[in-house]
Amino acid sequence: PEATLEFAAPVDIDAQTPLGRVSIVALDAVVVVVWMRGIDEQYAQIRYAAVDLDGNRVAEGEVARTSANRSSGFPRAARLGNSVWIAFTDVESSRIRVREIQLPLN
């Protein structure tokens, strides 16, 4: 017998000007998506959205502003305890920075 997989309907995360560069972290009751959104030709936002298992957005916001150029790299997200840590490149200072986001896990 063949196994079949069924997927839920896709959830729109950014219908504005996404640049991609996506990172995803699964928590107990939510999935956190981190991506870059273009502001203009020079600048971009690093954003996050937390989506529950029913596809509802339960939190969202801006992590930082950075360059829209490829030199800004790809933001990365990782779970540590009850927090999601996001690492990204600050092009102006040529440094790697981290920000913490605390989300309810239930």
Side-chain angles (χ1 to χ4, degrees), residues 11-74:
V11 175
D12 284 334
I13 298 297
D14 189 342
Q16 294 183 25
T17 53
L19 299 177
R21 307 186 204 178
V22 177
S23 184
I24 297 175
V25 174
L27 304 177
D28 296 338
V30 298
V31 173
V32 177
V33 181
V34 178
W35 76 99
M36 290 180 67
R37 174 190 288 168
I39 297 172
D40 56 30
E41 289 187 21
Q42 283 188 299
Y43 297 101
Q45 292 177 314
I46 299 170
R47 298 194 55 80
Y48 76 93
V51 179
D52 70 16
L53 301 178
D54 294 321
N56 301 307
R57 193 176 299 227
V58 296
E60 64 182 293
E62 179 180 307
V63 176
R65 292 189 179 215
T66 189
S67 169
N69 294 327
R70 301 285 289 168
S71 62
S72 62
F74 286 71

Side-chain angles (χ1 to χ4, degrees), residues 2-6 9-10 13 35 37 42 50 52 55 75 77-80 88-89 92-93 96 100 106:
E2 288 187 34
T4 59
L5 295 175
E6 292 185 25
I13 298 297
W35 76 99
R37 174 190 288 168
Q42 283 188 299
D52 70 16
R79 176 184 182 172
L80 180 61
F88 59 95
T89 303
E92 289 183 13
S93 68
I96 303 296
E100 177 187 19
N106 300 345

